[in-house]
């Protein structure tokens, strides 16, 4: 009888643990609504170098990732990265400047990478041209020679009416990146973007344009630092000179 009671207690404990685990998994995959603008301002203001004046928008990337562009009291345009984690919305990183960068939700999956920016209107940027680029190259051995043509694919974003945003990489870019990965799959040192590894040949760059279509250096946008609160994967997107284009 005593043995049966022990077995019954053990089974009850297992059932309770399964129910608790299932409940936790359900709640962890069904986030609560994102905090109010006031609450987000308060949390981000704890880590930003100056007090935050306004949240411009809450931009959901998916169910558990959110981008929050903001303006500080010193008229600095920054970005907060948030994630639903352990049953609450957690601030992962503060960017105190608005120049573009990549948030890599999954490190090795470019379809999860997001381009994010928050231009300072003082720079008078009307459009952002993003480029997927690879320089032409030639290499070989005594038996095999390989020529890689130049890649220069442009994706323009209108910044005349909204100076901030978050977009996933264009489909044609993703196909090229997948082709690059397939071609280098046997190499352990392969990386998707040149900013990660000097052996990688593909990079993402950006070029700010004025209303007249001319290059304008965004001096108010590129100044500032960042504050990382917990594990998050981001990568800079470098500005280029118009003379680098063909």
């Amino acid at each position: 009888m005593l043995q049966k009671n022990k077995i019954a207690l053990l089974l009850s404990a297992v059932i309770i643990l399964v129910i608790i685990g299932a409940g936790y998994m359900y709640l962890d995959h069904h986030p609560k609504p994102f905090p109010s603008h006031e609450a987000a301002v308060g949390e981000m203001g704890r880590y930003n170098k100056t007090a935050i004046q306004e949240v411009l928008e809450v931009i959901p990337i998916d169910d558990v990732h959110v981008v929050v562009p903001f303006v500080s009291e010193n008229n600095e345009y920054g970005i907060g990265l948030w994630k639903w984690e352990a049953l609450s919305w957690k601030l992962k990183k503060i960017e105190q400047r608005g120049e573009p960068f990549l948030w890599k939700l999954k490190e090795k999956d470019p379809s999860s990478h997001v381009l994010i920016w928050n231009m300072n209107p003082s720079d008078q940027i009307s459009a952002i041209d993003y480029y997927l680029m690879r320089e032409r190259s030639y290499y070989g051995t005594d038996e095999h020679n390989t020529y890689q043509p130049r890649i220069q694919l442009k994706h323009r974003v209108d910044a005349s009416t909204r100076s901030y945003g978050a977009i996933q990489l264009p489909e044609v870019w993703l196909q090229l990146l997948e082709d690059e990965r397939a071609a280098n799959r046997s190499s352990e040192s392969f990386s998707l973007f040149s900013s990660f590894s000097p052996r990688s040949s593909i990079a993402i760059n950006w070029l700010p344009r004025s209303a007249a279509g001319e290059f304008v250096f965004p001096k108010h946008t590129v100044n500032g630092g960042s504050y990382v609160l917990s594990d998050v994967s981001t990568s800079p997107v470098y500005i280029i000179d118009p003379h680098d284009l063909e």
Side-chain angles (χ1 to χ4, degrees):
M1 187 68 177
L2 184 61
Q3 185 68 21
K4 289 183 178 180
N5 288 338
K6 288 182 178 180
I7 293 174
L9 287 173
L10 180 61
L11 288 174
S12 298
V14 170
I15 291 171
I16 291 172
L17 289 174
V18 169
I19 292 173
I20 292 173
Y24 182 90
M25 291 295 293
Y26 176 84
L27 292 173
D28 198 42
H29 287 83
H30 292 79
K32 294 180 181 178
F34 190 76
S36 66
H37 283 202
E38 292 77 11
V41 163
E43 179 66 11
M44 292 189 297
R46 294 172 55 196
Y47 306 100
N48 201 51
K49 63 180 181 180
T50 56
I52 293 175
Q53 178 178 328
E54 178 188 6
V55 164
L56 297 176
E57 189 177 344
V58 174
I59 306 173
I61 303 303
D62 56 26
D63 290 341
V64 296
H65 297 90
V66 166
V67 174
V68 181
F70 63 83
V71 184
S72 76
E73 289 184 350
N74 286 359
N75 200 38
E76 296 163 331
Y77 285 69
I79 298 163
L81 304 182
W82 294 71
K83 183 181 180 181
W84 175 261
E85 192 174 65
L87 305 185
S88 65
W89 284 104
K90 289 183 169 55
L91 179 62
K92 306 291 284 185
K93 184 177 184 180
I94 285 279
E95 282 288 349
Q96 297 165 343
R97 55 183 176 240
E99 65 179 319
F101 65 94
L102 275 173
W103 187 8
K104 299 170 289 180
L105 307 185
K106 298 178 182 177
E107 180 77 29
K108 296 182 179 181
D109 179 8
S111 67
S112 75
H113 297 182
V114 183
L115 273 169
I116 304 167
W117 67 94
N118 185 13
M119 302 288 108
N120 191 317
S122 299
D123 288 324
Q124 298 184 342
I125 297 170
S126 290
I128 304 171
D129 288 340
Y130 289 107
Y131 289 93
L132 185 73
M133 303 180 70
R134 182 182 69 189
E135 296 299 327
R136 61 178 56 86
S137 63
Y138 177 86
Y139 56 92
T141 64
D142 293 338
E143 298 181 356
H144 300 283
N145 297 295
T146 301
Y147 170 75
Q148 283 191 331
R150 178 183 172 90
I151 293 175
Q152 181 178 297
L153 295 179
K154 182 176 77 173
H155 180 78
R156 172 162 291 188
V157 172
D158 181 16
S160 60
T161 56
R162 197 178 80 159
S163 58
Y164 58 87
I167 61 170
Q168 293 183 312
L169 303 184
E171 285 294 329
V172 66
W173 290 21
L174 293 176
Q175 185 57 57
L176 280 170
L177 291 170
E178 177 56 36
D179 292 345
E180 176 90 347
R181 179 161 58 178
N184 293 276
R185 195 158 284 159
S186 60
S187 173
E188 293 182 356
S189 63
F190 170 68
S191 176
L192 286 176
F193 302 115
S194 61
S195 57
F196 302 162
S197 168
R199 296 193 180 189
S200 179
S201 58
I202 293 183
I204 293 179
N205 304 107
W206 72 291
L207 189 66
R209 300 277 189 183
S210 68
E214 298 177 346
F215 168 75
V216 53
F217 185 76
K219 61 181 181 180
H220 298 96
T221 297
V222 298
N223 293 318
S226 61
Y227 192 98
V228 179
L229 285 84
S230 60
D231 182 47
V232 62
S233 181
T234 62
S235 180
V237 176
Y238 295 107
I239 195 169
I240 56 172
D241 189 279
H243 294 97
D244 295 330
L245 301 175
E246 293 185 2

